[in-house]
Amino acid sequence: MTSAVTYIGRLAPSPTGLLHLGHAATFWTASERARSAAGKLLLRNEDTDPQRAKPEFLDAMLEDLAWLGIAWEPPMVVQSERIALYRAALEQLLDAGLAYACTCSRRDLQQMTQAPHEDDDDEPVYNGRCRPSATWRSGLQGGINYRFRVPDGARISFVDGNFGPQSYAAGCGGEASFGDFLVWRKDGLPSYQLACAVDDAAMHVTEVVRGRDLLKSTTRQILLQRALGLPTPAYFHTELLRDAAGVRLAKRHNALALRTLRQQGWSPEEVRAMFG
Ligand code: GLU
């Protein structure tokens, strides 16, 4: 008798470079958690950045994952093929008055930027410059960025499976740790936050395993899930691998690529042993 699969995890790489040890460690944790729960592990190709996503990086990554011993269940979900789904979600947000057009230039945004913490994400706390009144509604127009309106002063909390209780304040400036964030870009593509929230629900993901640099993104995605009526999965963020000097691997230009180690003669077992 087979029992129904209750755990669904996912790997969600962006094919914008070679897989390095830091990603591999997170993916290994994701794979181990799915395996120990006798669950499924899906793969989503987050290729919505046309400037940086390259098919050759996808091919290299698939090969590196297989070499490392990470198996995932096909079919691969490809975000660039799902734009209509994300657009429908944006329209739902616009209808509810929860998203608005933002015409701030890169320069305007730079002026709002506080130096991001090294382990944090890079999205500055938006000061609300383009925020319309709460009763305002808009349709979708091309060539414009759209932001999600966060509830001012609200605390978004969740319990991370690895790091325990987390809580971040939403709002425009002040004490807020995150503000109105991008959901749609003027090139007609969704932001990472929107595509991720929509897809984790569409793929019935029950637990998201990813690096701790995305902790704050989790609160943004929880807000999107609530606004779109989607379920919130469990979250398990992983510690980021650092080099001997304590620098995050992902921040190093020469972050150790898995295939470099492989060319140097490392075995998959030796690489996995580094993940502890
Ligand atoms: N594509 C994202 C990245 O490579 C990961 C997103 C996620 O796991 O939610 O950083």
PDB file of all heavy atoms in Angstrom, residues 165-195:
ATOM      1  N   PRO A 165      11.289  31.703  15.800  1.00  0.00           N
ATOM      2  CA  PRO A 165      10.374  32.814  15.530  1.00  0.00           C
ATOM      3  C   PRO A 165      11.066  34.001  14.852  1.00  0.00           C
ATOM      4  O   PRO A 165      12.157  34.395  15.254  1.00  0.00           O
ATOM      5  CB  PRO A 165       9.890  33.224  16.928  1.00  0.00           C
ATOM      6  CG  PRO A 165      10.159  32.044  17.792  1.00  0.00           C
ATOM      7  CD  PRO A 165      11.349  31.352  17.218  1.00  0.00           C
ATOM      8  N   GLN A 166      10.415  34.537  13.832  1.00  0.00           N
ATOM      9  CA  GLN A 166      10.927  35.686  13.074  1.00  0.00           C
ATOM     10  C   GLN A 166       9.832  36.727  13.032  1.00  0.00           C
ATOM     11  O   GLN A 166       8.656  36.380  12.912  1.00  0.00           O
ATOM     12  CB  GLN A 166      11.227  35.287  11.620  1.00  0.00           C
ATOM     13  CG  GLN A 166      12.152  34.109  11.468  1.00  0.00           C
ATOM     14  CD  GLN A 166      13.550  34.435  11.925  1.00  0.00           C
ATOM     15  OE1 GLN A 166      14.102  35.493  11.600  1.00  0.00           O
ATOM     16  NE2 GLN A 166      14.126  33.555  12.727  1.00  0.00           N
ATOM     17  N   SER A 167      10.237  37.995  13.079  1.00  0.00           N
ATOM     18  CA  SER A 167       9.222  39.044  13.024  1.00  0.00           C
ATOM     19  C   SER A 167       9.827  40.295  12.403  1.00  0.00           C
ATOM     20  O   SER A 167      10.920  40.715  12.801  1.00  0.00           O
ATOM     21  CB  SER A 167       8.756  39.316  14.459  1.00  0.00           C
ATOM     22  OG  SER A 167       7.751  40.274  14.452  1.00  0.00           O
ATOM     23  N   TYR A 168       9.155  40.856  11.412  1.00  0.00           N
ATOM     24  CA  TYR A 168       9.658  42.045  10.717  1.00  0.00           C
ATOM     25  C   TYR A 168       8.533  43.070  10.618  1.00  0.00           C
ATOM     26  O   TYR A 168       7.382  42.705  10.374  1.00  0.00           O
ATOM     27  CB  TYR A 168      10.132  41.689   9.308  1.00  0.00           C
ATOM     28  CG  TYR A 168      11.386  40.843   9.272  1.00  0.00           C
ATOM     29  CD1 TYR A 168      11.303  39.456   9.182  1.00  0.00           C
ATOM     30  CD2 TYR A 168      12.640  41.435   9.325  1.00  0.00           C
ATOM     31  CE1 TYR A 168      12.453  38.675   9.142  1.00  0.00           C
ATOM     32  CE2 TYR A 168      13.799  40.663   9.278  1.00  0.00           C
ATOM     33  CZ  TYR A 168      13.698  39.279   9.192  1.00  0.00           C
ATOM     34  OH  TYR A 168      14.829  38.513   9.149  1.00  0.00           O
ATOM     35  N   ALA A 169       8.911  44.346  10.761  1.00  0.00           N
ATOM     36  CA  ALA A 169       7.904  45.408  10.678  1.00  0.00           C
ATOM     37  C   ALA A 169       7.800  45.925   9.250  1.00  0.00           C
ATOM     38  O   ALA A 169       8.811  46.185   8.587  1.00  0.00           O
ATOM     39  CB  ALA A 169       8.287  46.545  11.611  1.00  0.00           C
ATOM     40  N   ALA A 170       6.564  46.096   8.788  1.00  0.00           N
ATOM     41  CA  ALA A 170       6.317  46.604   7.435  1.00  0.00           C
ATOM     42  C   ALA A 170       5.957  48.087   7.502  1.00  0.00           C
ATOM     43  O   ALA A 170       5.380  48.541   8.493  1.00  0.00           O
ATOM     44  CB  ALA A 170       5.150  45.828   6.814  1.00  0.00           C
ATOM     45  N   GLY A 171       6.279  48.831   6.479  1.00  0.00           N
ATOM     46  CA  GLY A 171       5.859  50.246   6.446  1.00  0.00           C
ATOM     47  C   GLY A 171       6.724  51.072   5.522  1.00  0.00           C
ATOM     48  O   GLY A 171       7.576  50.551   4.808  1.00  0.00           O
ATOM     49  N   CYS A 172       6.494  52.396   5.546  1.00  0.00           N
ATOM     50  CA  CYS A 172       7.292  53.308   4.713  1.00  0.00           C
ATOM     51  C   CYS A 172       8.319  53.992   5.607  1.00  0.00           C
ATOM     52  O   CYS A 172       7.962  54.877   6.369  1.00  0.00           O
ATOM     53  CB  CYS A 172       6.438  54.405   4.122  1.00  0.00           C
ATOM     54  SG  CYS A 172       5.151  53.846   3.042  1.00  0.00           S
ATOM     55  N   GLY A 173       9.538  53.595   5.535  1.00  0.00           N
ATOM     56  CA  GLY A 173      10.608  54.248   6.310  1.00  0.00           C
ATOM     57  C   GLY A 173      10.458  54.009   7.804  1.00  0.00           C
ATOM     58  O   GLY A 173       9.850  53.019   8.229  1.00  0.00           O
ATOM     59  N   GLY A 174      11.013  54.928   8.598  1.00  0.00           N
ATOM     60  CA  GLY A 174      10.937  54.824  10.058  1.00  0.00           C
ATOM     61  C   GLY A 174      11.558  53.541  10.556  1.00  0.00           C
ATOM     62  O   GLY A 174      12.659  53.184  10.176  1.00  0.00           O
ATOM     63  N   GLU A 175      10.790  52.826  11.390  1.00  0.00           N
ATOM     64  CA  GLU A 175      11.306  51.598  12.001  1.00  0.00           C
ATOM     65  C   GLU A 175      11.117  50.373  11.108  1.00  0.00           C
ATOM     66  O   GLU A 175      11.511  49.273  11.471  1.00  0.00           O
ATOM     67  CB  GLU A 175      10.569  51.328  13.319  1.00  0.00           C
ATOM     68  CG  GLU A 175      10.807  52.359  14.405  1.00  0.00           C
ATOM     69  CD  GLU A 175      12.287  52.506  14.732  1.00  0.00           C
ATOM     70  OE1 GLU A 175      12.869  51.496  15.191  1.00  0.00           O
ATOM     71  OE2 GLU A 175      12.843  53.586  14.495  1.00  0.00           O
ATOM     72  N   ALA A 176      10.496  50.583   9.946  1.00  0.00           N
ATOM     73  CA  ALA A 176      10.145  49.432   9.117  1.00  0.00           C
ATOM     74  C   ALA A 176      11.388  48.687   8.630  1.00  0.00           C
ATOM     75  O   ALA A 176      12.395  49.310   8.305  1.00  0.00           O
ATOM     76  CB  ALA A 176       9.329  49.894   7.915  1.00  0.00           C
ATOM     77  N   SER A 177      11.301  47.360   8.613  1.00  0.00           N
ATOM     78  CA  SER A 177      12.440  46.635   8.042  1.00  0.00           C
ATOM     79  C   SER A 177      12.180  46.260   6.587  1.00  0.00           C
ATOM     80  O   SER A 177      13.089  45.828   5.900  1.00  0.00           O
ATOM     81  CB  SER A 177      12.822  45.422   8.872  1.00  0.00           C
ATOM     82  OG  SER A 177      11.703  44.718   9.292  1.00  0.00           O
ATOM     83  N   PHE A 178      10.954  46.405   6.137  1.00  0.00           N
ATOM     84  CA  PHE A 178      10.724  46.315   4.686  1.00  0.00           C
ATOM     85  C   PHE A 178       9.506  47.154   4.330  1.00  0.00           C
ATOM     86  O   PHE A 178       8.636  47.393   5.164  1.00  0.00           O
ATOM     87  CB  PHE A 178      10.592  44.868   4.208  1.00  0.00           C
ATOM     88  CG  PHE A 178       9.324  44.178   4.627  1.00  0.00           C
ATOM     89  CD1 PHE A 178       8.287  44.009   3.719  1.00  0.00           C
ATOM     90  CD2 PHE A 178       9.160  43.705   5.915  1.00  0.00           C
ATOM     91  CE1 PHE A 178       7.115  43.368   4.085  1.00  0.00           C
ATOM     92  CE2 PHE A 178       7.987  43.067   6.303  1.00  0.00           C
ATOM     93  CZ  PHE A 178       6.966  42.905   5.384  1.00  0.00           C
ATOM     94  N   GLY A 179       9.506  47.629   3.074  1.00  0.00           N
ATOM     95  CA  GLY A 179       8.446  48.544   2.657  1.00  0.00           C
ATOM     96  C   GLY A 179       7.683  48.030   1.453  1.00  0.00           C
ATOM     97  O   GLY A 179       7.746  46.831   1.137  1.00  0.00           O
ATOM     98  N   ASP A 180       6.953  48.937   0.794  1.00  0.00           N
ATOM     99  CA  ASP A 180       6.208  48.564  -0.413  1.00  0.00           C
ATOM    100  C   ASP A 180       7.211  47.989  -1.415  1.00  0.00           C
ATOM    101  O   ASP A 180       8.184  48.653  -1.766  1.00  0.00           O
ATOM    102  CB  ASP A 180       5.532  49.799  -1.017  1.00  0.00           C
ATOM    103  CG  ASP A 180       4.414  50.323  -0.112  1.00  0.00           C
ATOM    104  OD1 ASP A 180       4.130  49.687   0.916  1.00  0.00           O
ATOM    105  OD2 ASP A 180       3.847  51.383  -0.445  1.00  0.00           O
ATOM    106  N   PHE A 181       6.999  46.780  -1.847  1.00  0.00           N
ATOM    107  CA  PHE A 181       8.016  46.117  -2.660  1.00  0.00           C
ATOM    108  C   PHE A 181       7.510  45.874  -4.079  1.00  0.00           C
ATOM    109  O   PHE A 181       6.304  45.845  -4.340  1.00  0.00           O
ATOM    110  CB  PHE A 181       8.473  44.816  -1.987  1.00  0.00           C
ATOM    111  CG  PHE A 181       7.346  43.848  -1.708  1.00  0.00           C
ATOM    112  CD1 PHE A 181       6.946  42.928  -2.650  1.00  0.00           C
ATOM    113  CD2 PHE A 181       6.667  43.880  -0.486  1.00  0.00           C
ATOM    114  CE1 PHE A 181       5.907  42.040  -2.395  1.00  0.00           C
ATOM    115  CE2 PHE A 181       5.621  42.996  -0.222  1.00  0.00           C
ATOM    116  CZ  PHE A 181       5.242  42.080  -1.178  1.00  0.00           C
ATOM    117  N   LEU A 182       8.458  45.685  -4.954  1.00  0.00           N
ATOM    118  CA  LEU A 182       8.156  45.508  -6.373  1.00  0.00           C
ATOM    119  C   LEU A 182       7.435  44.187  -6.626  1.00  0.00           C
ATOM    120  O   LEU A 182       7.881  43.141  -6.124  1.00  0.00           O
ATOM    121  CB  LEU A 182       9.495  45.502  -7.107  1.00  0.00           C
ATOM    122  CG  LEU A 182       9.545  46.116  -8.483  1.00  0.00           C
ATOM    123  CD1 LEU A 182       9.117  47.584  -8.429  1.00  0.00           C
ATOM    124  CD2 LEU A 182      10.951  45.993  -9.038  1.00  0.00           C
ATOM    125  N   VAL A 183       6.331  44.247  -7.362  1.00  0.00           N
ATOM    126  CA  VAL A 183       5.684  42.995  -7.770  1.00  0.00           C
ATOM    127  C   VAL A 183       5.725  42.809  -9.289  1.00  0.00           C
ATOM    128  O   VAL A 183       5.568  41.701  -9.782  1.00  0.00           O
ATOM    129  CB  VAL A 183       4.219  42.875  -7.282  1.00  0.00           C
ATOM    130  CG1 VAL A 183       4.174  42.463  -5.815  1.00  0.00           C
ATOM    131  CG2 VAL A 183       3.418  44.130  -7.525  1.00  0.00           C
ATOM    132  N   TRP A 184       5.907  43.932  -9.982  1.00  0.00           N
ATOM    133  CA  TRP A 184       5.894  43.821 -11.451  1.00  0.00           C
ATOM    134  C   TRP A 184       6.861  44.830 -12.006  1.00  0.00           C
ATOM    135  O   TRP A 184       6.933  45.962 -11.517  1.00  0.00           O
ATOM    136  CB  TRP A 184       4.482  44.122 -11.965  1.00  0.00           C
ATOM    137  CG  TRP A 184       4.240  43.646 -13.361  1.00  0.00           C
ATOM    138  CD1 TRP A 184       4.257  44.409 -14.496  1.00  0.00           C
ATOM    139  CD2 TRP A 184       3.932  42.314 -13.768  1.00  0.00           C
ATOM    140  NE1 TRP A 184       3.991  43.624 -15.583  1.00  0.00           N
ATOM    141  CE2 TRP A 184       3.785  42.326 -15.164  1.00  0.00           C
ATOM    142  CE3 TRP A 184       3.788  41.101 -13.086  1.00  0.00           C
ATOM    143  CZ2 TRP A 184       3.487  41.191 -15.906  1.00  0.00           C
ATOM    144  CZ3 TRP A 184       3.487  39.961 -13.816  1.00  0.00           C
ATOM    145  CH2 TRP A 184       3.339  40.010 -15.206  1.00  0.00           C
ATOM    146  N   ARG A 185       7.599  44.409 -13.016  1.00  0.00           N
ATOM    147  CA  ARG A 185       8.618  45.302 -13.565  1.00  0.00           C
ATOM    148  C   ARG A 185       8.163  45.882 -14.890  1.00  0.00           C
ATOM    149  O   ARG A 185       7.367  45.272 -15.607  1.00  0.00           O
ATOM    150  CB  ARG A 185       9.925  44.525 -13.770  1.00  0.00           C
ATOM    151  CG  ARG A 185      10.360  43.807 -12.499  1.00  0.00           C
ATOM    152  CD  ARG A 185      11.777  43.317 -12.607  1.00  0.00           C
ATOM    153  NE  ARG A 185      12.051  42.668 -13.882  1.00  0.00           N
ATOM    154  CZ  ARG A 185      12.647  41.480 -14.001  1.00  0.00           C
ATOM    155  NH1 ARG A 185      12.994  40.804 -12.931  1.00  0.00           N
ATOM    156  NH2 ARG A 185      12.888  40.977 -15.193  1.00  0.00           N
ATOM    157  N   LYS A 186       8.727  47.012 -15.204  1.00  0.00           N
ATOM    158  CA  LYS A 186       8.252  47.690 -16.421  1.00  0.00           C
ATOM    159  C   LYS A 186       8.572  46.928 -17.696  1.00  0.00           C
ATOM    160  O   LYS A 186       8.002  47.213 -18.737  1.00  0.00           O
ATOM    161  CB  LYS A 186       8.741  49.130 -16.475  1.00  0.00           C
ATOM    162  CG  LYS A 186      10.200  49.330 -16.455  1.00  0.00           C
ATOM    163  CD  LYS A 186      10.463  50.827 -16.485  1.00  0.00           C
ATOM    164  CE  LYS A 186      11.929  51.075 -16.325  1.00  0.00           C
ATOM    165  NZ  LYS A 186      12.195  52.371 -15.790  1.00  0.00           N
ATOM    166  N   ASP A 187       9.431  45.922 -17.628  1.00  0.00           N
ATOM    167  CA  ASP A 187       9.675  45.094 -18.816  1.00  0.00           C
ATOM    168  C   ASP A 187       8.590  44.020 -18.989  1.00  0.00           C
ATOM    169  O   ASP A 187       8.701  43.129 -19.831  1.00  0.00           O
ATOM    170  CB  ASP A 187      11.070  44.464 -18.777  1.00  0.00           C
ATOM    171  CG  ASP A 187      11.326  43.646 -17.506  1.00  0.00           C
ATOM    172  OD1 ASP A 187      10.379  43.482 -16.704  1.00  0.00           O
ATOM    173  OD2 ASP A 187      12.448  43.160 -17.318  1.00  0.00           O
ATOM    174  N   GLY A 188       7.516  44.091 -18.174  1.00  0.00           N
ATOM    175  CA  GLY A 188       6.387  43.175 -18.360  1.00  0.00           C
ATOM    176  C   GLY A 188       6.580  41.838 -17.660  1.00  0.00           C
ATOM    177  O   GLY A 188       5.903  40.856 -17.993  1.00  0.00           O
ATOM    178  N   LEU A 189       7.490  41.800 -16.685  1.00  0.00           N
ATOM    179  CA  LEU A 189       7.774  40.542 -15.991  1.00  0.00           C
ATOM    180  C   LEU A 189       7.523  40.700 -14.491  1.00  0.00           C
ATOM    181  O   LEU A 189       7.644  41.799 -13.949  1.00  0.00           O
ATOM    182  CB  LEU A 189       9.236  40.144 -16.236  1.00  0.00           C
ATOM    183  CG  LEU A 189       9.557  39.773 -17.691  1.00  0.00           C
ATOM    184  CD1 LEU A 189      11.053  39.679 -17.905  1.00  0.00           C
ATOM    185  CD2 LEU A 189       8.869  38.456 -18.067  1.00  0.00           C
ATOM    186  N   PRO A 190       7.173  39.589 -13.822  1.00  0.00           N
ATOM    187  CA  PRO A 190       6.910  39.670 -12.386  1.00  0.00           C
ATOM    188  C   PRO A 190       8.211  39.825 -11.602  1.00  0.00           C
ATOM    189  O   PRO A 190       9.273  39.436 -12.085  1.00  0.00           O
ATOM    190  CB  PRO A 190       6.308  38.294 -12.083  1.00  0.00           C
ATOM    191  CG  PRO A 190       6.956  37.389 -13.086  1.00  0.00           C
ATOM    192  CD  PRO A 190       7.094  38.215 -14.337  1.00  0.00           C
ATOM    193  N   SER A 191       8.115  40.338 -10.386  1.00  0.00           N
ATOM    194  CA  SER A 191       9.281  40.339  -9.502  1.00  0.00           C
ATOM    195  C   SER A 191       9.449  38.923  -8.949  1.00  0.00           C
ATOM    196  O   SER A 191       8.519  38.101  -9.001  1.00  0.00           O
ATOM    197  CB  SER A 191       9.068  41.313  -8.343  1.00  0.00           C
ATOM    198  OG  SER A 191       8.092  40.798  -7.458  1.00  0.00           O
ATOM    199  N   TYR A 192      10.606  38.676  -8.396  1.00  0.00           N
ATOM    200  CA  TYR A 192      10.851  37.389  -7.736  1.00  0.00           C
ATOM    201  C   TYR A 192       9.774  37.106  -6.691  1.00  0.00           C
ATOM    202  O   TYR A 192       9.246  35.991  -6.602  1.00  0.00           O
ATOM    203  CB  TYR A 192      12.259  37.411  -7.104  1.00  0.00           C
ATOM    204  CG  TYR A 192      12.400  36.450  -5.950  1.00  0.00           C
ATOM    205  CD1 TYR A 192      12.298  35.071  -6.145  1.00  0.00           C
ATOM    206  CD2 TYR A 192      12.598  36.918  -4.659  1.00  0.00           C
ATOM    207  CE1 TYR A 192      12.394  34.200  -5.077  1.00  0.00           C
ATOM    208  CE2 TYR A 192      12.704  36.049  -3.589  1.00  0.00           C
ATOM    209  CZ  TYR A 192      12.587  34.685  -3.806  1.00  0.00           C
ATOM    210  OH  TYR A 192      12.673  33.820  -2.746  1.00  0.00           O
ATOM    211  N   GLN A 193       9.409  38.122  -5.880  1.00  0.00           N
ATOM    212  CA  GLN A 193       8.460  37.906  -4.779  1.00  0.00           C
ATOM    213  C   GLN A 193       7.119  37.386  -5.295  1.00  0.00           C
ATOM    214  O   GLN A 193       6.557  36.442  -4.741  1.00  0.00           O
ATOM    215  CB  GLN A 193       8.214  39.217  -4.002  1.00  0.00           C
ATOM    216  CG  GLN A 193       9.455  39.959  -3.577  1.00  0.00           C
ATOM    217  CD  GLN A 193      10.293  39.214  -2.537  1.00  0.00           C
ATOM    218  OE1 GLN A 193       9.872  38.195  -1.989  1.00  0.00           O
ATOM    219  NE2 GLN A 193      11.473  39.736  -2.273  1.00  0.00           N
ATOM    220  N   LEU A 194       6.618  38.039  -6.347  1.00  0.00           N
ATOM    221  CA  LEU A 194       5.291  37.655  -6.854  1.00  0.00           C
ATOM    222  C   LEU A 194       5.345  36.262  -7.488  1.00  0.00           C
ATOM    223  O   LEU A 194       4.508  35.399  -7.194  1.00  0.00           O
ATOM    224  CB  LEU A 194       4.777  38.688  -7.869  1.00  0.00           C
ATOM    225  CG  LEU A 194       3.384  38.399  -8.414  1.00  0.00           C
ATOM    226  CD1 LEU A 194       2.326  38.532  -7.311  1.00  0.00           C
ATOM    227  CD2 LEU A 194       3.023  39.321  -9.581  1.00  0.00           C
ATOM    228  N   ALA A 195       6.332  36.046  -8.352  1.00  0.00           N
ATOM    229  CA  ALA A 195       6.403  34.757  -9.047  1.00  0.00           C
ATOM    230  C   ALA A 195       6.576  33.621  -8.030  1.00  0.00           C
ATOM    231  O   ALA A 195       5.954  32.561  -8.150  1.00  0.00           O
ATOM    232  CB  ALA A 195       7.561  34.769 -10.048  1.00  0.00           C
TER     233      ALA A 195
END
